[in-house]
Amino acid sequence: MILITGGAGQLATEFQRFFKKNSIDFLAPNRLELDITDFDKVKDYILKNDVGLVINCAAYNLVDKAEEEKDSAYMINAYAVHNLAKICREKRIEFVTYSTDFVFDGNKGNEYAEEDEINPISVYGRSKALGERLALEENRRTFIFRVSWVFGEEGKNFIEQVKTWANTKESIKIAIDQISSPTSTKDIVEITWKILNLRDRDYGIYHISGAGEISRYEQGKYILERLGYKGNILEGRCLDFTSYDIRPKYSKLSSKKIEGILGIKIPNWRSRVDEYLKVDS
Ligand SMILES: NC(=O)c1ccc[n+]([C@@H]2O[C@H](COP(=O)([O-])OP(=O)(O)OC[C@H]3O[C@@H](n4cnc5c(N)ncnc54)[C@H](OP(=O)(O)O)[C@@H]3O)[C@@H](O)[C@H]2O)c1
């Protein structure tokens, strides 16, 4: 049995669609049904349901709020991840979890590879970085997939935010000083599953990121044009929207390692955004 934690999230929902389509059994409890910070309950749940693989999609993702809710961020993104890795080690099963481009400081100037030094500049980034380290130290059969700007159907994501603005605002300002790449949950799920099905598995850290790189402004403008928005689209800066200067300015993840191993090319973010918006490319 496969356990997907954080069952109501956008990546977890995509996994459920994929497993249903492929007739693969899974359990996907939401936060109320299985809170990953309840260490004993998580252990009981995994043992009782004879779980053979854990895919951790639960996370504390509120980047700004994490600055004030440090304990929650660390508990969910680091200590609960450590606990899951430990239970998986004891049960001799593989553990999959997800991390973020926010483990980097954004100063490199070109694509980040898996072996680049991390230097998170936010509580969120530090909590995810600690989760990575604790999981890898605890269980050598751990896969960590770092992803960026995730979007999936019915998710709480930037595209949905832009759609709401398009319906309610005559003028929209979007940050130009944050560059990375939008990544579809479809690609994350398919690639995770391919890696898990390789005969020779090389555990550790992998980057998965939609091809191309853009600023939030360019991404927003592209979405608004696709939606036929007629208002003004203005260039802003991250600090116009938050008082926390904690987002890496440039955090494009290189997917070369995973593309090389699987012999694939991850689609450009534009085609995935078009698919999401159900418009023709
Ligand atoms: N979204 C992004 O842009 C982004 C960027 C980089 C990396 N990532 C990483 O990608 C992975 C998937 O993210 P996502 O976009 O699918 O996130 P998401 O949609 O925010 O889903 C996360 C889920 O985890 C649940 N959760 C939070 N605390 C929990 C707990 N203690 N126990 C059980 N469930 C809990 C949340 O429930 P509630 O909503 O009820 O709290 C939510 O349903 C995460 O590791 C995330 O850090 C995401």
Side-chain angles (χ1 to χ4, degrees):
M1 180 62 71
I2 298 173
L3 170 61
I4 308 163
T5 56
Q10 51 179 353
L11 182 58
T13 305
E14 191 72 56
F15 266 113
Q16 292 168 65
R17 265 195 291 272
F18 179 84
F19 287 151
K20 272 184 206 149
K21 200 169 122 199
N22 291 286
S23 307
I24 295 165
D25 290 336
F26 64 86
L27 291 163
N30 64 26
R31 185 186 193 147
L32 283 177
E33 292 159 340
L34 186 68
D35 184 331
I36 62 164
T37 65
D38 188 340
F39 292 4
D40 293 336
K41 190 168 170 192
V42 170
K43 187 166 187 174
D44 282 353
Y45 191 98
I46 289 175
L47 297 180
K48 207 185 296 161
N49 290 292
D50 196 17
V51 169
L53 168 68
V54 174
I55 302 179
N56 178 38
C57 295
Y60 184 108
N61 281 332
L62 304 171
V63 177
D64 288 313
K65 218 168 169 198
E67 297 297 310
E68 288 139 34
E69 295 188 348
K70 191 175 170 199
D71 290 351
S72 296
Y74 272 83
M75 184 53 84
I76 297 166
N77 291 342
Y79 306 125
V81 172
H82 185 203
N83 181 57
L84 284 166
K86 181 165 176 277
I87 300 166
C88 290
R89 179 181 53 72
E90 288 165 0
K91 212 170 175 292
R92 295 170 191 276
I93 61 176
E94 291 174 321
F95 177 52
V96 175
T97 191
Y98 294 87
S99 188
T100 168
D101 51 331
F102 278 38
V103 296
F104 296 112
D105 60 19
N107 294 327
K108 185 181 172 194
N110 55 58
E111 294 189 349
Y112 281 99
E114 286 78 354
E115 60 277 11
D116 281 330
E117 202 176 318
I118 61 167
N119 184 28
I121 55 173
S122 62
V123 168
Y124 167 71
R126 284 192 285 277
S127 68
K128 295 293 278 185
L130 182 62
E132 288 184 356
R133 184 165 66 74
L134 294 175
L136 289 172
E137 283 173 4
E138 182 66 49
N139 185 347
R140 58 162 204 89
R141 297 177 72 198
T142 294
F143 283 112
I144 292 174
F145 298 101
R146 289 190 188 132
V147 295
S148 60
W149 296 11
V150 176
F151 65 96
E153 277 172 43
E154 300 129 42
K156 279 183 246 157
N157 57 52
F158 182 68
I159 302 179
E160 291 305 314
Q161 174 77 75
V162 172
K163 280 163 83 175
T164 306
W165 288 336
N167 289 327
T168 53
K169 289 171 166 243
E170 283 171 12
S171 161
I172 300 173
K173 188 153 81 165
I174 311 175
I176 191 101
D177 57 345
Q178 202 195 340
I179 294 171
S180 189
S181 183
T183 310
S184 159
T185 51
K186 281 195 180 146
D187 293 317
I188 302 173
V189 166
E190 278 170 23
I191 289 170
T192 302
W193 195 241
K194 281 189 178 140
I195 287 279
L196 282 167
N197 282 286
L198 289 175
R199 191 193 299 259
D200 297 316
R201 301 218 259 296
D202 198 2
Y203 299 103
I205 298 178
Y206 293 87
H207 290 175
I208 305 175
S209 140
E213 61 180 57
I214 34 130
S215 67
R216 279 293 193 198
Y217 170 81
E218 289 163 309
Q219 187 197 1
K221 192 161 177 276
Y222 182 82
I223 296 165
L224 289 165
E225 283 166 3
R226 290 305 212 201
L227 294 173
Y229 178 70
K230 299 280 180 265
N232 296 319
I233 309 169
L234 308 171
E235 290 181 8
R237 313 203 71 85
C238 284
L239 288 177
D240 295 335
F241 307 96
T242 168
S243 53
Y244 295 113
D245 194 8
I246 50 171
R247 285 167 174 76
K249 299 278 177 261
Y250 176 94
S251 56
K252 166 70 189 170
L253 301 172
S254 164
S255 310
K256 284 197 185 84
K257 176 177 164 186
I258 213 154
E259 289 183 332
I261 288 171
L262 295 176
I264 56 160
K265 280 277 172 224
I266 300 177
N268 186 280
W269 65 269
R270 282 185 181 79
S271 60
R272 288 302 199 204
V273 166
D274 286 353
E275 239 174 68
Y276 185 99
L277 294 172
K278 300 189 175 49
V279 294
D280 294 330
S281 304

